[in-house]
Amino acid sequence: MKKLFSALAMFLLVGMAQAGGHMAHGNHPIEVHKPFVRLMPPSQPNTGAFMVLNNTTDKEMALVRAESGVSRVVELHTHTMVDGVMQMREIPRIAIPAQGRTELKPGGLHVMLIGLHEPLQDGQQVDITLVFEDGSQQTVHAPVRHPGSEMPMHGHGHGH
Ligand SMILES: [Cu+2]
């Protein structure tokens, strides 16, 4: 009887530890602000997701992967100037400095959604799971919207 009890206690403890891990969503050390997915014409199969990542820890953190059910492929991208032309390319990680922030924004860093299964609708919520270098994850609910309402489309800011 005693043996059964301790086995049960162990089971409960393990279960609680696992639940605690999943609860990282909501109080993850990376705070995500103002996430959104850029609304594209229905003919356009790719789009970008943008957000501000705020690191509340004393160590550098990094986004190393993103996942979403809305597209075939999800990549981390940046923009670079190649021969005077802005081009996107995939990058392996997006660092967020200790106690600092990294902004994913049009013309800069972004999460690229490639091969949308269906055209996204204005106002639709897209779930994007962010996977960090330390193995932790959190899921962001990003509304689909036109980026023009909050950010200049033709600003060509280079983040200075
Ligand atoms: Cu891209």
Side-chain angles (χ1 to χ4, degrees):
M1 190 64 190
K2 194 172 180 197
K3 200 170 177 184
L4 177 66
F5 179 78
S6 60
L8 186 64
M10 188 63 108
F11 176 77
L12 286 174
L13 279 173
V14 169
M16 278 161 66
Q18 282 172 350
H22 288 296
M23 275 163 54
H25 169 191
N27 54 0
H28 191 275
I30 299 292
E31 295 171 356
V32 179
H33 297 291
K34 296 189 284 182
F36 75 98
V37 173
R38 173 186 259 171
L39 181 64
M40 286 298 218
S43 59
Q44 174 55 253
N46 309 324
T47 189
F50 310 94
M51 64 199 76
V52 178
L53 300 171
N54 216 357
N55 185 352
T56 63
T57 75
D58 293 325
K59 279 188 293 194
E60 181 186 272
M61 301 269 293
L63 180 62
V64 292
R65 204 168 77 237
E67 296 166 358
S68 179
V70 298
S71 68
R72 201 165 38 78
V73 178
V74 183
E75 295 180 350
L76 305 180
H77 275 196
T78 190
H79 278 87
T80 47
M81 198 66 100
V82 178
D83 294 330
V85 180
M86 274 291 221
Q87 291 187 351
M88 293 192 296
R89 66 182 176 87
E90 190 181 5
I91 49 172
R93 69 198 286 277
I94 293 176
I96 310 117
Q99 299 291 347
R101 53 152 53 188
T102 296
E103 193 171 350
L104 279 58
K105 61 185 175 185
L109 297 162
H110 56 281
V111 173
M112 192 81 194
L113 304 170
I114 300 170
L116 294 168
H117 298 307
E118 289 172 13
L120 300 177
Q121 310 294 321
D122 197 357
Q124 179 183 345
Q125 294 277 334
V126 173
D127 282 5
I128 299 169
T129 299
L130 306 176
V131 183
F132 296 91
E133 209 161 50
D134 65 357
S136 65
Q137 312 189 348
Q138 74 167 302
T139 299
V140 171
H141 311 287
V144 176
R145 66 172 175 79
H146 198 281
S149 52
E150 266 194 35
M151 297 182 203
M153 283 282 286
H154 306 288
H156 286 282
H158 293 276
H160 295 301

